[in-house]
Amino acid sequence: MSVNKVILVGNLGKDPELRYTPSGAAVATFSLATSERYKDREGQQQEKTEWHNIVAWRQLAEICGKYLHKGKQVYIEGKIQTRSYDDKDGNKRYITEIVADQMQMLGGRGDEGGGQREGGYAPRGGNRQESRPAQQAQRSTPATPAYEDFADPPFNPDDDIPF
Amino acid sequence: MSVNKVILVGNLGKDPELRYTPSGAAVATFSLATSERYKDREGQQQEKTEWHNIVAWRQLAEICGKYLHKGKQVYIEGKIQTRSYDDKDGNKRYITEIVADQMQMLGGRGDEGGGQREGGYAPRGGNRQESRPAQQAQRSTPATPAYEDFADPPFNPDDDIPF
Amino acid sequence: MSVNKVILVGNLGKDPELRYTPSGAAVATFSLATSERYKDREGQQQEKTEWHNIVAWRQLAEICGKYLHKGKQVYIEGKIQTRSYDDKDGNKRYITEIVADQMQMLGGRGDEGGGQREGGYAPRGGNRQESRPAQQAQRSTPATPAYEDFADPPFNPDDDIPF
Amino acid sequence: MSVNKVILVGNLGKDPELRYTPSGAAVATFSLATSERYKDREGQQQEKTEWHNIVAWRQLAEICGKYLHKGKQVYIEGKIQTRSYDDKDGNKRYITEIVADQMQMLGGRGDEGGGQREGGYAPRGGNRQESRPAQQAQRSTPATPAYEDFADPPFNPDDDIPF
DNA sequence: TTTT
DNA sequence: TTTT
């Protein structure tokens, strides 16, 4: 019953740090700058930069560690998460991070890209029919497209297409 | 290198239609209304309604078919897709649809809910260590949280947590 | 060259607090809960709640103060912002907030609503021609719609429509 | 009570077309490509391109007409809108467009940028107090930041700041 | 019609 | 700490 979604386009302040948990899961962290321009009361153009702590896990972490670098412009989609930890004086501290579930490299040539999703999903589908029913080819074309016309299951257009 | 994302909150115009492809994949379709209020030049409050064609596949289709109904308020996240088809006169026609990959029921109690994603993802992880290393419990609390402090891999907080 | 966008659907943890700056600007603050369900390693359904600090300014603050209350479900669109302040021991602390620029009440009847934007924008347009050229009514209908067919300038459909 | 939001990152297929309505409002139109990669059933990498019809009005239209060009990578935020028109045979046709309300140029150097919003908003604020109350400078630093600590009204940090 |  |  709720939505927690963040969309950022910004530049990395440093190269990502890639680490591994004891059980072997990759985790990449980096900071991302977004900036906003505004005019102050003297009418001067000013700029204000916001720094975001980005965390990526598993396959997406590996890709971030491999392809991102300081200054790179990226699109990040994820969720907001606040963790608590105890600082050196034993006080509870909070840190807010963006847990990425999608990353897109933007802009530069020399930047090989492709959208990347978190998680390394298993392939869909499986035992699908190779043969297409003959009558499908003969179906008439009604004014309203029937369900057979849905040409595109998400993420795997070749899978399970009914015509 | 691109992003195609739609976020809608609106109400169903009718009950969803749930169908199956020849190979057995579920597909649900429904129309969703969003409305915008504005003042016309006479200063009268006006309302303009936009109708969106929503398509959901597989597990998400099943959930839509089972739980959604006319009038229900939902959050939809997905992508824009334009399909072509031939109308009864043989002319090429285009229809733009929103292929949903997330749906959230909103509003009413009596609406059991929970976020729903397209696809029925397999569980992550697998062979994870059950035992937690003893030294983890003794670690000091540095000013900067270490990677062991990342408490929350996305979607499966219990999996692969390093402390 | 950057984007900083947050979209939340959640419920208020308390009634909003509405205050005014010395110069008279309204500011509303409230916390918003979003929750995520997941299965732990014992296969038990678990829920994790994230609390977001929301800040709204000016007209949007007034609306939040007037219409929102504890438990209300809302859609919030805004940006992430981290402020620093000095705590009682003189240490620099950081707090991350969502500065709202749109709010939508969701769900309940008895909730009069309508999308609300930050800022109290001035009306658009101004000296527009009341008379519509006669030939507009006679224009033919080409296969490709001309610019005159754009029926809908955003947010104010009656303003500046060319036909 | 509804949300209709689109976020796109893609490349222009052609230079934008900039036109003016009879009453003088600028309107820019262009098509934007987003592409998705997927593996077909032979395991071959495939690409599917989606073309979006973008419409921008007024000040944003002028900026698009001036700075965008074929191939340029942009971020677009807007809403989905379907218009109807009559084709040359007198049949009602529908076209779905994205009415942009924000545009960001991405990527290229040689691309002067800055976020652009639809509408040419009037400046906020106005007669604000120049002098800051003396006691503000002396306030103590409580554990919980008070409202006076809100350092940043959106879009105009210098306006109406209470300390 | 773009881009990788 | 980035970028324009």
Side-chain angles (χ1 to χ4, degrees), chain A residues 5 7 36 50 79 82, chain C residues 5 7 36 50 79 82:
Chain A
K5 174 141 307 252
I7 286 168
E36 200 179 359
E50 199 67 35
K79 64 175 172 182
T82 299
Chain C
K5 174 140 309 247
I7 286 168
E36 200 180 358
E50 198 68 35
K79 63 175 173 182
T82 299

Side-chain angles (χ1 to χ4, degrees), chain A residues 5 11-12 17 28-30 38 44 48 68 71 75 78 104 107 110 125-126 135 142 148 161-162:
Chain A
K5 174 141 307 252
N11 300 276
L12 277 78
E17 297 182 39
T29 57
F30 55 95
Y38 65 95
Q44 298 292 327
K48 186 169 163 250
L68 301 189
Y75 167 93
Q104 295 270 354
Q135 81 277 13
E148 290 87 1
I161 316 279

Side-chain angles (χ1 to χ4, degrees), chain B residues 128-150:
Chain B
R128 27 185 165 52
Q129 288 178 249
E130 287 299 326
S131 64
R132 302 306 172 96
Q135 81 277 14
Q136 292 291 96
Q138 304 163 355
R139 77 190 145 77
S140 62
T141 53
T144 313
Y147 79 92
E148 289 89 357
D149 292 317
F150 287 109

Side-chain angles (χ1 to χ4, degrees), chain D residues 16 24 48 53 62 74 103 118 155:
Chain D
K48 184 163 163 258
N53 302 307
E62 307 272 14
V74 295
M103 184 275 296
E118 183 272 333
F155 309 127

Side-chain angles (χ1 to χ4, degrees), chain C residues 22-37:
Chain C
S23 60
V27 52
T29 57
F30 55 94
S31 60
L32 189 75
T34 59
S35 354
E36 200 180 358
R37 261 151 245 161

Side-chain angles (χ1 to χ4, degrees), chain A residues 1-5 79-81, chain C residues 7-12 31-37 47-52 54 74:
Chain A
M1 299 284 271
S2 64
V3 174
N4 174 357
K5 174 141 307 252
K79 64 175 172 182
I80 302 174
Q81 185 177 267
Chain C
I7 286 168
L8 301 172
V9 175
N11 300 279
L12 277 78
S31 60
L32 189 75
T34 59
S35 354
E36 200 180 358
R37 261 151 245 161
E47 190 176 86
K48 183 163 165 259
T49 295
E50 198 68 35
W51 286 97
H52 309 270
I54 312 293
V74 295

Side-chain angles (χ1 to χ4, degrees), chain B residues 1-9 34-36 48 50 52 73 79-82 93 96 98, chain D residues 1-9 34-36 48 50 52 73 79-82 93 96 98:
Chain B
M1 298 286 269
S2 64
V3 173
N4 174 357
K5 173 138 309 246
V6 175
I7 285 168
L8 302 172
V9 175
T34 60
S35 352
E36 199 179 0
K48 186 168 162 252
E50 199 66 36
H52 309 271
Q73 188 184 38
K79 64 175 174 185
I80 302 174
Q81 186 177 267
T82 299
R93 297 292 198 119
T96 297
I98 308 306
Chain D
M1 299 286 268
S2 64
V3 173
N4 175 356
K5 173 139 311 246
V6 175
I7 285 168
L8 301 172
V9 174
T34 59
S35 345
E36 199 179 358
K48 184 163 163 258
E50 200 65 35
H52 309 271
Q73 188 184 38
K79 63 174 174 185
I80 302 175
Q81 185 177 268
T82 299
R93 297 292 197 121
T96 297
I98 307 307

